[in-house]
Amino acid sequence: MIHAWSVDDVRAAEERAARGLPDDELMQRAAQGLAAVVAARLPADPHTQPLVVALVGGGNNGGDALHALAHLAALVGEPLDLVAVLTGPQAHEAGLAAAREVGVEVHDATTEPGRDAAVEILGLADVVLDGVYGIGGRAGLPDLVAALVDTIAEDAHVVAVDVPSGADPGGEVPTGEGVWADETVTFGGPKPVHVLGTADRCGLLTVVDIGLDLDEVTPAAQRLEHDDLALLWPVPGPQDDKYSRGVLGVVAGGESYTGAPALCVTAAVEAGAGMVRYVGPPGPTALVRQLVPEAVHGAGRVQAWVVGPGLDPAPESWDRLGLDQVAAARRALDGDLPCVVDAGALDLLDGPREHAGARTLLTPHAGELARLISRVDPDVTELTREQVSAEPVRWARRAAQLLRCTVLLKGGTTYVVPPPGSGLPVRAQADAPAWAGTAGSGDVLAGLAGALLAAGLDPLDAGSLAALVHGVAAHDANPGGPVRALAIAQQLPRTVARLLARPEARR
């Protein structure tokens, strides 16, 4: 699992580590580690003289880049062109002096001659160090820096120093502006930007140990890796049976949406639920009977619920849907069992579930979350899908707070956000190919998450593990090509078996 710590916690750890050390010791450790990474990325052709260009801001991030150039000159020990491009009126004084001492060519891009020289050099660079903004930055770039970034050679290897400039260090604003790095070298430990919705712009993540102690600090964000499945997946033992493995109840579908419950139940069975009980009207019941003969039909004892896939709770639809189906959904929501609340059932929520002990996982997409918050938040009149997509963690956190539940916000990056008062970190998974954004995919995810809830996992683990496995199964079902929702569901057993068998997982 990748753990990421908040900017405030990292700064506090830096202050603790710096006590008793020379003033620039932590920066030197960071710069040495950065230089070692850059040295490994230089072109291997002995007949070329590599060109390394650093975009340098005015803060400590720029100081890291300048000192790294100085260390790189000593580390490589062969012909090397080193250039620093200053993007602001001030540069880190000691770092600039160290760079000049080893012959680094310096251009001030705030002047017209310096800017012209920088544009030409960036178009020829083999490696570019992005040292403009670090963890003290914010989303977006000033015009000068954005213009310089646009001139970087397409085949240059871009290494972000700590954080890609223009990205939100907190990882909560997935803006498209700024640097998209091939690699990010961060210091002490990952930050939220490296695991949340901006993670894809960081490229390969390399962590340089500079002596920070974060072991006792609660992470702000996390991302599950493939080997985490073996630690979390509910593998049955020889004494287990269908009841101890988890019985999942599914209230889903109607005569207009017969496929959703079939996909949800299929996914739960394929994921290893001990038993699945389906509650639904005649049309979808017949389809579930045909596709999933293992399913049991009608109400009965369960250990968790999935409520909502394909359910239309609008009053005008009740005659054709059947009042009994809506009533069954409300009974599940009003009970004290763990519950995945998806799709149509989200419209039945007006506040927190009545039983405070009930573990609840909401699984909306951005549009559904916008409608939900607009209805239940007294401070919001009309929230749009676009606003949710612009600040996904903020709005998922708001829903989690209002409804005292965990929110799994579906999308290209899936966020799993626990209630703010829980002290638990936000998790983000981006394991699925874009092909997985297809009708019915969310119904499969709901069934998978429900099976994990029924097996005893808490909503944070169930949601993030379901997102991981769902994404990997979508890739495994047809690598590099289109995939239908049913294929994702049917791929689940093989994907889980493969991940459980990974050597690292076995260890």
Side-chain angles (χ1 to χ4, degrees):
M1 187 183 299
I2 301 175
H3 302 277
W5 290 270
S6 72
V7 169
D8 289 343
D9 285 338
V10 169
R11 289 195 188 282
E14 288 175 344
E15 291 177 5
R16 292 193 299 271
R19 292 169 190 160
L21 295 176
D23 288 344
D24 67 343
E25 176 62 23
L26 293 183
M27 180 173 287
Q28 292 298 334
R29 293 177 185 178
Q32 288 169 356
L34 176 59
V37 172
V38 174
R41 306 296 181 254
L42 295 177
D45 187 349
H47 302 294
T48 64
Q49 186 163 319
L51 171 59
V52 180
V53 182
L55 288 171
V56 178
N60 287 342
N61 194 251
D64 293 335
L66 288 166
H67 279 295
L69 290 180
H71 287 296
L72 187 63
L75 185 63
V76 174
E78 58 186 43
L80 189 65
D81 289 328
L82 301 173
V83 179
V85 174
L86 309 184
T87 62
Q90 295 180 327
H92 190 274
E93 187 174 342
L96 187 57
R100 289 189 189 278
E101 187 175 343
V102 298
V104 173
E105 183 180 327
V106 179
H107 295 280
D108 184 353
T110 63
T111 68
E112 186 173 348
R115 184 164 55 253
D116 291 343
V119 168
E120 181 178 356
I121 291 168
L122 286 166
L124 301 172
D126 295 296
V127 178
V128 175
L129 290 183
D130 163 29
V132 181
Y133 296 123
I135 58 175
R138 61 188 180 198
L141 290 177
D143 291 342
L144 170 61
V145 178
L148 292 173
V149 169
D150 285 343
T151 67
I152 295 174
E154 289 187 5
D155 58 350
H157 186 78
V158 179
V159 179
V161 181
D162 213 9
V163 172
S165 295
D168 169 26
E172 298 193 10
V173 182
T175 176
E177 299 177 4
V179 172
W180 289 72
D182 298 295
E183 183 170 4
T184 296
V185 178
T186 193
F187 312 117
K191 287 77 180 177
V193 64
H194 303 131
V195 301
L196 295 182
T198 42
D200 55 346
R201 68 189 296 171
C202 297
L204 174 68
L205 181 64
T206 300
V207 180
V208 173
D209 182 5
I210 60 171
L212 304 189
D213 184 6
L214 292 164
D215 291 343
E216 302 301 321
V217 181
T218 300
Q222 294 173 326
R223 174 169 293 195
L224 298 186
E225 299 180 286
H226 289 192
D227 291 335
D228 292 315
L229 179 134
L231 301 174
L232 296 174
W233 195 264
V235 178
Q239 303 304 316
D240 281 312
D241 58 26
K242 60 187 176 184
Y243 301 108
S244 63
R245 288 175 58 183
V247 179
L248 177 67
V250 176
V251 181
E255 297 301 339
S256 297
Y257 301 99
T258 57
L263 291 167
C264 180
V265 172
T266 297
V269 170
E270 298 280 13
M275 179 190 295
V276 178
R277 291 185 178 275
Y278 174 61
V279 179
T285 294
L287 185 57
V288 171
R289 287 186 188 278
Q290 178 183 359
L291 292 178
V292 195
E294 303 94 330
V296 177
H297 295 264
R301 293 185 63 182
V302 300
Q303 284 139 308
W305 289 101
V306 174
V307 185
L311 180 71
D312 186 354
E316 59 269 20
S317 73
W318 287 1
D319 287 341
R320 57 187 169 80
L321 178 65
L323 281 171
D324 288 346
Q325 181 75 339
V326 175
R330 291 192 182 280
R331 283 195 298 271
L333 294 176
D334 291 342
D336 59 358
L337 292 177
C339 190
V340 174
V341 185
D342 184 54
L346 294 166
D347 292 333
L348 297 175
L349 293 175
D350 294 318
R353 292 179 64 201
E354 181 179 350
H355 295 278
R359 295 176 296 161
T360 307
L361 177 66
L362 307 190
T363 56
H365 56 58
E368 291 168 334
L369 185 62
R371 293 196 301 272
L372 177 63
I373 292 177
S374 297
R375 190 175 71 253
V376 302
D377 191 338
D379 299 324
V380 176
T381 54
E382 185 176 358
L383 184 65
T384 67
R385 172 193 290 266
E386 291 72 24
Q387 288 173 302
V388 170
S389 297
E391 297 181 277
V393 176
R394 172 192 174 187
W395 292 112
R397 188 179 286 124
R398 181 60 177 158
Q401 179 184 29
L402 290 167
L403 299 169
R404 297 200 295 273
C405 64
T406 298
V407 176
L408 184 156
L409 178 58
K410 296 179 285 194
T413 296
T414 293
Y415 299 92
V416 187
V417 182
S422 68
L424 296 172
V426 174
R427 287 186 183 164
Q429 299 297 137
D431 308 281
W435 292 110
T438 186
S441 183
D443 304 319
V444 172
L445 179 63
L448 172 56
L452 294 171
L453 270 187
L457 273 67
D458 65 75
L460 180 62
D461 283 341
S464 52
L465 186 57
L468 167 69
V469 173
H470 180 272
V472 178
H475 171 77
D476 289 349
N478 188 29
V483 61
R484 60 185 292 197
L486 184 59
I488 299 174
Q490 293 172 336
Q491 176 63 37
L492 291 173
R494 291 181 292 278
T495 293
V496 170
R498 178 175 68 80
L499 294 178
L500 285 173
R502 283 167 59 90
E504 289 298 322
R506 289 200 302 270
R507 282 198 286 273

